[in-house]
């Protein structure tokens, strides 16, 4: 097992990794920008290294200063968390070339899933259902038109170098296609330096359901059930839950087996997520995320598996500590993302000091957060303050528990997404479980006072 791990991230996920290391007896090294000197992960880690000033040339993205910090601290391993360097294939390779274990997949796996058309072709070959459309990249708009006629309108054009909702254009019919193609192509070139596009039938009202997988270096791959992430706004997830209200045992078994086949086909090691679009009872591969995700705790609560520890074990060459037959989903879990944003003002980011803080507790409540009383929320980074996660016997009880926990939660004087969540959890459609990725588009938050 590792002796000393450097955590190349900040905020709640840095803290989450430090906690796993503590329990495994691994020393921790935090790296931080000058904006994060007073941060909780810096206080909690055994040692810390300052890696310079915050954005726009972000210190947490500076591979050279991070590798220097590895060198001076004597770390034998590095956990990238999510965002920043987590899906940087060159960085993963560089770590290994420097003799540092990267707690994640190989550069080759990251690269293979980072190019979306390649990833889709790999999945199709592995027998994973994919959305009908072009096989590979489009040569020109004429080919796009032929493919669109074949699958039927509406269609979506996606940048192969995009992902996560970036670089997409929809064409409702043949008259829109040329404009959509030209716009998508120039946006792809300008945004990613890669003009490659592929085409799919556009699914109008799907759900976003993703399956957590774990692999080790001995060829073992398991799945840990699904998360429903349909509650999102402009590609920002706000609430996630496991299990999905739309997935029963038969469907979970099919999706789980597809996810395992997907991961096995690339000899995947570490934690990963297979994202699907679910349309009725049909599901289709969308993307694979080769990192730990923000919403991983809902899976941890329904399975009892510590995903960060499994990731670390796998990177150290150990076998996964559980087999597929041992995975049992118990109860229901919901995560609310508490962001420093004002839901009454179009979710505008809101920085400032945390003057008063009361964190919720009691049965079935988990808070993953780096904030404390007196903490200054910096303006430089994303607005996630805290993840509030609950676990209960069933979905109704989890909703009640979350409402109770949100009532206990006090953060003064910041504007946060807490009142938004309170309203959402009382909505009839949300409670029915019958919603899709467009639910929040037509749902209006109304401030309480
Ligand atoms: C789609 C789609 C409908 N049909 N593909 C958005 C993120 C990126 N991973 C792919 N995305 C979508 N691809 C087809 N063929 C709808 C979306 C989509 C979406 C997917 C999941 C969660 C939220 C979404 C919001 C808008 C569009």
């Amino acid at each position: 097992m590792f002796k000393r791990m450097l955590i190349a991230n900040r905020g709640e996920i840095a803290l989450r990794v430090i906690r796993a290391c503590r329990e495994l007896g691994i020393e921790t090294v935090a790296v931080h920008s000058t904006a994060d000197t007073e941060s909780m992960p810096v206080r909690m880690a055994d040692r810390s290294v300052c890696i310079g000033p915050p954005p726009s040339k972000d210190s947490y993205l500076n591979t050279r200063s991070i590798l220097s910090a590895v060198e001076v601290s004597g770390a034998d391993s590095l956990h990238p968390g999510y965002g920043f360097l987590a899906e940087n294939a060159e960085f993963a390779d560089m770590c290994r070339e420097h003799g540092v274990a990267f707690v994640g997949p190989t550069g080759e796996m990251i690269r293979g899933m980072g190019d979306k058309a390649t990833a889709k072709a790999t999945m199709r070959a592995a027998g994973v259902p994919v959305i009908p459309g072009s096989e590979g990249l489009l040569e020109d708009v004429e080919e796009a038109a032929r493919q669109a006629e074949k699958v039927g309108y509406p269609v979506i054009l996606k940048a192969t170098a995009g992902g996560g909702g970036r670089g997409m254009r929809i064409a409702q019919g043949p008259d829109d296609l040329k404009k959509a193609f030209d716009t998508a192509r120039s946006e792809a070139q300008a945004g990613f330096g890669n003009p490659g596009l592929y085409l799919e039938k556009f699914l109008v009202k799907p759900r976003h359901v993703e399956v957590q997988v774990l692999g080790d270096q001995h060829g073992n791959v398991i799945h840990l059930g699904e998360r429903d992430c349909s509650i999102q706004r402009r590609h920002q997830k706000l609430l996630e839950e496991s299990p999905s209200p739309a997935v029963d045992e038969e469907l979970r078994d099919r999706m789980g087996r597809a996810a395992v086949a997907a991961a096995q086909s690339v000899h995947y090691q570490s934690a990963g997520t297979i994202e699907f679009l679910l349309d009725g009872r049909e599901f289709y591969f969308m993307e694979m995320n080769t990192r730990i995700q923000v919403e991983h705790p809902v899976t941890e609560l329904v399975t009892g598996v510590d995903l960060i520890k499994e990731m670390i074990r796998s990177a150290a060459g150990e076998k996964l500590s559980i087999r597929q037959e041992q995975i049992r989903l118990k109860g229901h879990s919901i995560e609310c993302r508490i962001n420093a944003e004002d839901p009454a003002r179009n979710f505008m980011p809101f920085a400032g000091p945390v003057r008063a803080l009361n964190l919720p507790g009691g049965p079935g409540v988990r808070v993953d957060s780096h904030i404390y009383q007196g903490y200054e929320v910096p303006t430089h980074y994303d607005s996630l303050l805290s993840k509030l996660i609950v676990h209960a016997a069933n979905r109704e009880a989890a909703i009640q528990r979350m409402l109770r926990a949100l009532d206990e939660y006090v953060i003064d004087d910041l504007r946060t997404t807490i009142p938004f969540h309170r309203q959402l959890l009382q909505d009839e459609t949300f409670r029915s479980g019958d919603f899709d990725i467009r639910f929040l588009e037509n749902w209006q938050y109304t401030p309480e006072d």
Side-chain angles (χ1 to χ4, degrees), residues 327-387:
I327 302 294
R328 288 266 181 295
L329 303 188
K330 188 174 161 234
H332 197 96
S333 178
I334 303 177
E335 171 177 282
C336 287
R337 296 193 189 190
I338 313 299
N339 298 334
E341 293 170 359
D342 187 352
R345 292 197 176 72
N346 215 15
F347 292 82
M348 188 164 51
F350 199 97
V354 176
R355 291 218 168 78
L357 181 67
N358 183 63
L359 298 179
V365 175
R366 166 172 166 182
V367 178
D368 277 19
S369 178
H370 58 296
I371 68 171
Y372 53 86
Q373 204 156 52
Y375 176 67
E376 284 268 349
V377 179
T379 47
H380 311 283
Y381 303 107
D382 84 358
S383 56
L384 185 66
L385 285 179
S386 171
K387 303 189 304 203

Side-chain angles (χ1 to χ4, degrees), residues 40-212:
M40 191 63 101
V42 169
R43 292 189 196 186
M44 206 96 110
D46 296 303
R47 330 171 42 171
S48 64
V49 181
C50 182
I51 49 170
S56 40
K57 300 276 174 295
D58 196 326
S59 33
Y60 295 100
L61 283 167
N62 189 333
T63 55
R64 286 176 56 216
S65 58
I66 287 174
L67 286 172
S68 304
V70 168
E71 198 100 336
V72 300
S73 65
D76 55 10
S77 49
L78 178 147
H79 198 300
Y82 50 69
F84 297 123
L85 299 171
E87 291 179 284
N88 183 325
E90 286 65 46
F91 182 68
D93 287 338
M94 246 192 276
C95 285
R96 291 193 174 104
E97 282 157 19
H98 282 72
V100 182
F102 179 82
V103 184
T106 63
E108 189 185 17
M109 293 167 195
I110 298 173
R111 223 170 268 119
M113 292 299 128
D115 185 275
K116 304 305 169 189
T118 304
K120 188 175 176 182
T122 305
M123 293 308 156
R124 187 192 291 113
V128 179
V130 297
I131 305 170
S134 63
E135 290 192 16
L137 299 181
L138 300 165
E139 283 296 328
D140 48 33
V141 68
E142 287 75 27
E143 188 187 359
R146 280 197 300 278
Q147 296 294 335
E149 291 302 332
K150 190 184 77 189
V151 297
Y153 285 93
V155 296
I156 184 166
L157 294 156
K158 296 183 176 179
T160 191
R166 303 178 320 137
M168 312 188 311
R169 273 279 175 280
I170 298 160
Q172 294 297 340
D175 298 344
D176 294 354
L177 189 68
K178 176 151 173 49
K179 184 155 171 268
F181 185 88
D182 291 341
T183 312
R185 172 137 286 181
S186 42
E187 282 180 0
Q189 179 62 52
F192 316 112
N194 177 349
L197 298 179
Y198 62 105
L199 177 145
E200 289 178 344
K201 180 162 188 68
F202 180 64
L203 306 179
V204 180
K205 286 191 156 239
R207 297 178 77 116
H208 174 141
V209 178
E210 57 185 33
V211 177
Q212 177 72 52

Side-chain angles (χ1 to χ4, degrees), residues 221-225 256 260 322-328:
V221 176
I222 62 170
H223 79 85
L224 296 99
V260 168
I322 56 276
R323 294 188 308 275
Q324 189 68 62
E325 313 82 75
Q326 297 173 296
I327 302 294
R328 288 266 181 295

Side-chain angles (χ1 to χ4, degrees), residues 29 34 74 98 142 195 222 231 285 322 336 383 407 437 440:
V29 182
T34 51
H98 282 72
E142 287 75 27
I222 62 170
I231 301 294
F285 172 80
I322 56 276
C336 287
S383 56
D407 276 338
I437 58 170
L440 287 186

Side-chain angles (χ1 to χ4, degrees), residues 10 122 145 197 263 280 283 286 302 332 339 353 398 430 438:
R10 63 179 303 282
T122 305
L197 298 179
F283 62 90
M286 185 165 54
V302 296
H332 197 96
N339 298 334
F430 175 76
R438 301 187 62 174

